[in-house]
Amino acid sequence: MNIELNSRTHIKDRMSETLNQSRDALADDAELTSLVNSSFVLVEMIIDLQEELGVRFTQADMQDVSTVGALVDLFLEHGRR
Amino acid sequence: MATDENLCWLLSFYRTSEIGGALFFGQLARALRPSAIQRDMTRHFADEAQHARYWTECLERLHLQPLKLGQSYQDQYVAAAGLPVNLMEVLAITQVFEKRVVSQYALHSRIADLEPEVKETLQRIMNDERWHIEWVRDALKTMEADYGEGAIRETLTRFTEADRAVYRKIAEEHDERIDHLMLAQR
């Protein structure tokens, strides 16, 4: 398994734990807002993962991010910087 | 004095927003790594939960039943300002929101013929809110080296504009309910 796929898997595993959703629910095209009852849960998850992975992004970075896949890509992109 | 229905709605709105704040900061306090910010955020969310309790008890003392309201102020805020996605943005939106809360509560506390139960509750909560604003301001200061003073200032400005828009919208939607609050200002 290459490093990026492993990281992708790890990120989704952590998202699954924080959002209390099965991995099946976290398909790349799943809309983030459909996974939670409250948008604040997404905030918690995103901040928690940033702290864990040692990356940081802003609202501007998140502008076009609405799906699980796009969010994972953002984490990976910032992780490579 | 406000009609019972309007007063019930307004105090229920305050209560709902305090609950929203408690839940949000509670989730963050749970997610953060050990730090001064984690410590202060833990105290902050505990305070917000108490404030929700104070409003609940205030309503009871006035023989009113808390209304189950759909959206808190924070929900509309986030819709206008966008979700904060890092700790600095969370603290910035908190700072702006808490200043709005203090401003609103201070305005409410000045209206004529205010129910003593409401006045007492407002005072009690405002004492806590002052610390909320202070700790968040100090925490943002410590983040300047990391995020940049300009970025923090710009974020605060953006959220302040969103807050003004939300407040105007709520005031327009519920002008009859909160009109008496504005009259006290004249």
Side-chain angles (χ1 to χ4, degrees):
Chain A
M1 186 183 284
N2 67 39
I3 291 170
E4 172 141 332
L5 184 55
N6 191 32
S7 297
R8 200 170 193 89
T9 302
H10 174 73
I11 291 170
K12 282 198 176 184
D13 283 345
R14 291 291 291 121
M15 287 173 70
S16 168
E17 282 170 32
T18 311
L19 299 179
N20 198 28
Q21 292 280 354
S22 69
R23 284 284 267 107
D24 291 339
L26 299 179
D28 279 355
D29 62 352
E31 290 289 327
L32 290 166
T33 51
S34 72
L35 300 169
V36 294
N37 288 327
S38 159
S39 52
F40 292 121
V41 176
L42 283 177
V43 174
E44 181 195 353
M45 183 267 293
I46 290 168
I47 289 178
D48 185 40
L49 265 174
Q50 284 179 76
E51 293 226 322
E52 180 178 331
L53 299 174
V55 301
R56 180 192 300 142
F57 37 82
T58 66
Q59 275 190 333
D61 295 319
M62 286 284 295
Q63 223 162 8
D64 297 322
V65 172
S66 63
T67 64
V68 169
L71 181 60
V72 174
D73 288 343
L74 189 64
F75 273 111
L76 291 174
E77 181 191 320
H78 277 74
R80 282 192 285 270
R81 291 184 187 175
Chain B
M1 207 172 279
T3 66
D4 278 358
E5 193 194 323
N6 287 340
L7 183 63
C8 188
W9 181 86
L10 186 55
L11 301 190
S12 298
F13 186 79
Y14 290 163
R15 175 181 174 271
T16 303
S17 294
E18 298 287 358
I19 291 173
L23 292 173
F24 178 52
F25 292 122
Q27 284 172 315
L28 279 176
R30 185 177 59 190
L32 288 175
R33 304 293 189 264
S35 63
I37 291 178
Q38 183 210 51
R39 179 199 65 219
D40 287 339
M41 193 157 295
T42 304
R43 176 179 162 183
H44 195 139
F45 100 77
D47 283 350
E48 303 285 12
Q50 284 286 61
H51 298 168
R53 178 187 145 213
Y54 298 158
W55 283 124
T56 307
E57 289 173 353
C58 179
L59 281 153
E60 280 176 356
R61 283 158 61 197
L62 294 168
H63 307 292
L64 298 169
Q65 290 228 322
L67 298 171
K68 189 171 182 299
L69 299 176
Q71 265 203 333
S72 67
Y73 195 87
Q74 292 93 333
D75 292 324
Q76 300 189 50
Y77 217 85
V78 165
L83 275 179
V85 300
N86 61 48
L87 193 53
M88 182 274 283
E89 288 173 355
V90 167
L91 294 182
I93 205 169
T94 302
Q95 183 74 313
V96 171
F97 177 73
E98 296 289 69
K99 283 183 175 176
R100 167 61 67 192
V101 167
V102 168
S103 163
Q104 174 63 24
Y105 285 170
L107 177 67
H108 196 156
S109 70
R110 291 197 293 270
I111 67 169
D113 301 325
L114 185 61
E115 295 80 1
E117 295 89 346
V118 174
K119 190 176 186 80
E120 181 198 315
T121 304
L122 287 165
Q123 280 305 321
R124 212 172 168 190
I125 292 175
M126 282 197 289
N127 286 341
D128 289 341
E129 297 292 354
R130 285 186 194 101
W131 175 77
H132 293 175
I133 290 171
E134 280 167 16
W135 92 258
V136 172
R137 180 199 62 211
D138 293 345
L140 283 170
K141 196 85 187 142
T142 67
M143 291 177 166
E144 282 179 3
D146 219 356
Y147 287 84
E149 193 185 339
I152 294 175
R153 193 170 45 246
E154 185 276 329
T155 304
L156 284 165
T157 300
R158 193 156 33 87
F159 288 150
T160 300
E161 283 164 9
D163 166 73
R164 286 187 186 137
V166 170
Y167 190 78
R168 251 194 322 270
K169 180 171 168 281
I170 291 176
E172 280 165 14
E173 280 173 7
H174 302 284
D175 60 344
E176 285 178 14
R177 293 186 189 279
I178 61 175
D179 193 44
H180 65 282
L181 287 174
M182 298 302 135
L183 286 175
Q185 282 288 282
R186 295 178 200 158

Coordinates of all heavy atoms in Angstrom, one line a residue, chain A residues 14 18 38-44 46-48 50-53 56-60 62, chain B residues 24 27-28 30-33 74-75 78 81-86 89-90 146-147 158-159:
Chain A
R14 N -10.2 8.1 10.9 CA -10.4 9.1 12.0 C -11.7 9.8 11.8 O -12.4 10.1 12.8 CB -9.2 10.0 12.0 CG -7.9 9.4 12.5 CD -7.9 9.0 13.9 NE -7.9 10.2 14.8 CZ -8.8 10.5 15.7 NH1 -9.9 9.7 15.9 NH2 -8.8 11.6 16.3
T18 N -14.8 10.0 14.6 CA -15.3 11.3 15.1 C -16.7 11.6 14.7 O -17.5 12.1 15.5 CB -14.4 12.5 14.6 OG1 -13.1 12.2 14.8 CG2 -14.8 13.8 15.3
S38 N -25.4 18.3 13.1 CA -25.0 19.7 13.4 C -23.7 20.0 12.7 O -22.7 19.2 12.7 CB -24.8 19.8 14.9 OG -24.0 21.0 15.2
S39 N -23.6 21.1 12.1 CA -22.4 21.5 11.4 C -21.2 21.7 12.4 O -20.0 21.6 12.0 CB -22.6 22.8 10.6 OG -23.1 23.8 11.5
F40 N -21.5 21.9 13.7 CA -20.4 22.0 14.6 C -19.6 20.7 14.8 O -18.5 20.8 15.2 CB -21.0 22.5 16.0 CG -21.5 23.9 15.9 CD1 -22.8 24.2 16.2 CD2 -20.7 25.0 15.5 CE1 -23.3 25.5 16.2 CE2 -21.2 26.3 15.5 CZ -22.5 26.5 15.8
V41 N -20.3 19.6 14.6 CA -19.6 18.3 14.6 C -18.5 18.3 13.5 O -17.4 17.7 13.8 CB -20.6 17.2 14.5 CG1 -19.9 15.8 14.4 CG2 -21.6 17.2 15.6
L42 N -18.8 18.8 12.4 CA -17.8 18.9 11.3 C -16.6 19.8 11.7 O -15.5 19.4 11.5 CB -18.4 19.5 10.0 CG -19.3 18.6 9.2 CD1 -19.9 19.4 8.0 CD2 -18.6 17.4 8.7
V43 N -16.9 20.9 12.4 CA -15.9 21.8 12.9 C -15.0 21.0 13.8 O -13.7 21.1 13.7 CB -16.5 23.0 13.6 CG1 -15.4 23.9 14.2 CG2 -17.3 23.9 12.6
E44 N -15.6 20.3 14.8 CA -14.8 19.5 15.7 C -13.9 18.5 15.0 O -12.7 18.4 15.3 CB -15.7 18.8 16.7 CG -15.0 18.0 17.7 CD -15.8 17.0 18.5 OE1 -17.1 17.0 18.3 OE2 -15.3 16.2 19.2
I46 N -12.8 18.5 11.9 CA -11.8 19.1 11.0 C -10.6 19.7 11.9 O -9.5 19.5 11.6 CB -12.4 20.3 10.2 CG1 -13.3 19.6 9.1 CG2 -11.3 21.1 9.5 CD1 -14.2 20.6 8.4
I47 N -11.0 20.3 13.0 CA -9.9 20.9 13.9 C -9.2 19.7 14.5 O -7.9 19.8 14.6 CB -10.6 21.8 14.9 CG1 -11.0 23.1 14.2 CG2 -9.6 22.1 16.1 CD1 -11.7 24.1 15.1
D48 N -9.9 18.7 15.0 CA -9.2 17.6 15.6 C -8.2 16.9 14.7 O -7.0 16.6 15.0 CB -10.3 16.5 16.0 CG -9.7 15.4 16.8 OD1 -8.8 15.6 17.6 OD2 -10.1 14.2 16.6
Q50 N -6.7 18.3 12.0 CA -5.6 19.3 11.8 C -4.6 19.1 12.9 O -3.4 19.1 12.6 CB -6.1 20.7 11.7 CG -6.9 21.1 10.4 CD -7.3 22.5 10.4 OE1 -6.6 23.4 10.3 NE2 -8.6 22.7 10.6
E51 N -5.1 19.1 14.1 CA -4.2 19.0 15.3 C -3.4 17.6 15.2 O -2.2 17.6 15.4 CB -4.9 19.0 16.6 CG -5.6 20.4 16.9 CD -5.4 20.8 18.3 OE1 -5.4 20.0 19.2 OE2 -5.2 22.0 18.5
E52 N -4.1 16.6 14.9 CA -3.4 15.3 14.8 C -2.4 15.2 13.7 O -1.3 14.6 13.9 CB -4.5 14.2 14.6 CG -3.9 12.8 14.6 CD -4.9 11.7 14.5 OE1 -6.1 11.9 15.0 OE2 -4.6 10.6 13.9
L53 N -2.8 15.7 12.5 CA -1.9 15.6 11.4 C -0.9 16.7 11.2 O 0.0 16.7 10.3 CB -2.8 15.5 10.1 CG -3.7 14.3 10.1 CD1 -4.6 14.4 8.8 CD2 -3.0 13.0 10.0
R56 N -2.7 22.8 8.8 CA -3.7 23.9 9.1 C -4.2 24.5 7.9 O -3.4 24.8 6.9 CB -3.0 25.0 10.0 CG -4.0 26.1 10.3 CD -3.4 27.3 10.9 NE -2.7 26.9 12.1 CZ -1.5 27.4 12.4 NH1 -0.9 28.3 11.6 NH2 -0.9 27.1 13.5
F57 N -5.5 24.7 7.8 CA -6.0 25.5 6.7 C -7.1 26.4 7.2 O -7.5 26.4 8.4 CB -6.5 24.6 5.6 CG -7.2 23.3 6.0 CD1 -8.5 23.2 6.3 CD2 -6.4 22.1 5.9 CE1 -9.1 22.0 6.7 CE2 -7.0 20.9 6.3 CZ -8.4 20.9 6.6
T58 N -7.5 27.2 6.3 CA -8.5 28.3 6.7 C -9.8 28.1 5.9 O -9.9 27.2 5.1 CB -7.9 29.7 6.3 OG1 -7.8 29.7 4.8 CG2 -6.5 29.9 6.9
Q59 N -10.7 29.0 6.2 CA -12.0 29.0 5.6 C -11.8 29.1 4.1 O -12.5 28.5 3.3 CB -12.9 30.2 6.0 CG -13.6 29.9 7.3 CD -14.6 31.0 7.6 OE1 -14.5 32.2 7.2 NE2 -15.7 30.7 8.3
A60 N -10.9 29.9 3.6 CA -10.6 30.1 2.2 C -10.3 28.8 1.5 O -10.7 28.5 0.4 CB -9.5 31.2 2.0
M62 N -11.3 26.0 2.4 CA -12.4 25.1 2.5 C -13.6 25.5 1.6 O -14.6 24.8 1.5 CB -13.0 25.0 3.9 CG -12.2 24.3 4.9 SD -12.4 22.5 4.7 CE -14.1 22.2 5.1
Chain B
F24 N -21.3 23.4 21.5 CA -20.2 23.7 20.6 C -18.9 23.7 21.3 O -17.9 23.0 20.9 CB -20.4 25.0 19.8 CG -19.3 25.4 18.9 CD1 -18.9 24.5 17.9 CD2 -18.8 26.6 18.9 CE1 -17.9 24.8 17.0 CE2 -17.7 27.0 18.1 CZ -17.3 26.1 17.1
Q27 N -17.8 20.3 22.6 CA -17.2 19.4 21.6 C -15.8 19.8 21.3 O -14.9 19.0 21.2 CB -18.0 19.5 20.3 CG -19.3 18.7 20.4 CD -20.2 18.9 19.2 OE1 -20.4 20.0 18.7 NE2 -20.8 17.9 18.7
L28 N -15.5 21.1 21.3 CA -14.2 21.6 21.1 C -13.3 21.3 22.2 O -12.1 20.8 22.1 CB -14.1 23.1 20.8 CG -14.5 23.5 19.4 CD1 -14.6 25.0 19.4 CD2 -13.5 23.0 18.4
R30 N -13.5 18.8 24.1 CA -13.2 17.4 24.0 C -12.1 17.1 23.0 O -11.3 16.2 23.1 CB -14.5 16.6 23.7 CG -14.3 15.1 23.7 CD -15.7 14.4 23.5 NE -16.2 14.8 22.2 CZ -17.5 14.5 21.8 NH1 -18.3 13.9 22.6 NH2 -17.9 14.9 20.6
A31 N -12.1 17.9 21.9 CA -11.2 17.6 20.8 C -9.8 18.1 21.0 O -8.9 17.6 20.4 CB -11.8 18.2 19.5
L32 N -9.7 19.2 21.8 CA -8.4 19.9 21.9 C -7.4 19.1 22.7 O -7.7 18.4 23.6 CB -8.6 21.2 22.5 CG -9.2 22.3 21.7 CD1 -9.5 23.6 22.5 CD2 -8.4 22.6 20.4
R33 N -6.1 19.2 22.3 CA -5.0 18.6 23.0 C -4.8 19.5 24.3 O -5.2 20.6 24.4 CB -3.7 18.7 22.2 CG -3.8 18.0 20.9 CD -4.0 16.5 21.0 NE -3.9 15.8 19.7 CZ -5.0 15.5 18.9 NH1 -6.2 15.8 19.3 NH2 -4.8 14.8 17.8
Q74 N -26.1 31.0 16.9 CA -24.9 30.5 16.3 C -25.2 29.8 15.0 O -24.4 29.9 14.1 CB -24.2 29.4 17.2 CG -23.7 29.9 18.5 CD -24.7 29.8 19.6 OE1 -25.9 29.8 19.4 NE2 -24.2 29.7 20.8
D75 N -26.3 29.1 14.9 CA -26.6 28.4 13.6 C -26.7 29.5 12.5 O -26.2 29.2 11.4 CB -28.0 27.7 13.7 CG -27.9 26.5 14.7 OD1 -26.8 25.9 14.7 OD2 -28.9 26.2 15.3
V78 N -23.2 30.9 11.7 CA -22.4 30.1 10.9 C -22.8 30.1 9.5 O -22.0 30.0 8.5 CB -22.3 28.6 11.5 CG1 -21.8 27.6 10.5 CG2 -21.5 28.6 12.8
A81 N -21.4 33.5 8.3 CA -20.0 33.7 8.3 C -19.2 32.5 7.8 O -18.0 32.6 7.5 CB -19.5 33.9 9.8
G82 N -19.9 31.4 7.6 CA -19.2 30.1 7.2 C -18.6 29.4 8.4 O -18.4 30.0 9.5
L83 N -18.4 28.1 8.3 CA -17.9 27.3 9.4 C -16.4 27.8 9.7 O -15.6 27.8 8.7 CB -17.9 25.9 9.0 CG -19.1 25.0 9.3 CD1 -18.9 23.6 8.8 CD2 -19.5 25.1 10.7
P84 N -16.1 28.0 10.9 CA -14.7 28.2 11.2 C -14.0 26.9 11.1 O -14.6 25.8 11.4 CB -14.7 28.7 12.7 CG -15.9 28.1 13.3 CD -16.9 28.0 12.1
V85 N -12.8 26.8 10.6 CA -12.1 25.5 10.3 C -10.8 25.4 11.0 O -10.1 24.4 10.8 CB -12.0 25.2 8.8 CG1 -13.4 25.2 8.2 CG2 -11.1 26.2 8.1
N86 N -10.3 26.4 11.7 CA -9.1 26.2 12.6 C -9.4 26.9 13.9 O -10.4 27.6 14.1 CB -7.9 26.8 11.9 CG -7.9 28.2 11.5 OD1 -8.3 29.0 12.4 ND2 -7.6 28.6 10.3
E89 N -9.9 30.7 13.9 CA -11.2 31.2 13.4 C -12.3 30.9 14.4 O -13.2 31.6 14.6 CB -11.5 30.4 12.1 CG -10.7 31.0 10.9 CD -10.8 30.2 9.6 OE1 -11.5 29.2 9.6 OE2 -10.2 30.6 8.6
V90 N -12.2 29.8 15.1 CA -13.1 29.4 16.2 C -13.1 30.5 17.3 O -14.2 31.0 17.7 CB -12.8 28.1 16.8 CG1 -13.6 27.9 18.1 CG2 -13.2 26.9 15.9
D146 N 1.8 32.8 15.2 CA 1.5 31.7 14.3 C 0.7 32.0 13.1 O 1.0 31.7 12.0 CB 0.8 30.7 15.2 CG 1.2 29.3 14.9 OD1 2.1 29.1 14.0 OD2 0.7 28.3 15.6
Y147 N -0.4 32.7 13.3 CA -1.3 33.0 12.2 C -1.1 34.4 11.6 O -1.5 34.6 10.5 CB -2.8 33.0 12.8 CG -3.3 31.6 13.1 CD1 -3.0 31.0 14.3 CD2 -4.1 30.9 12.2 CE1 -3.5 29.7 14.6 CE2 -4.6 29.7 12.5 CZ -4.3 29.1 13.7 OH -4.8 27.8 14.0
R158 N -14.3 40.2 9.3 CA -15.2 39.4 8.5 C -16.3 38.8 9.3 O -17.5 38.9 9.0 CB -14.4 38.3 7.8 CG -15.1 37.5 6.7 CD -14.1 36.8 5.7 NE -12.9 36.3 6.3 CZ -12.8 35.2 6.9 NH1 -13.8 34.3 6.9 NH2 -11.6 34.8 7.4
F159 N -16.0 38.3 10.5 CA -17.0 37.8 11.3 C -17.9 38.9 12.0 O -19.1 38.7 12.2 CB -16.4 36.9 12.5 CG -15.8 35.6 12.0 CD1 -14.8 35.0 12.6 CD2 -16.4 34.9 10.9 CE1 -14.3 33.8 12.2 CE2 -15.9 33.7 10.4 CZ -14.8 33.1 11.1

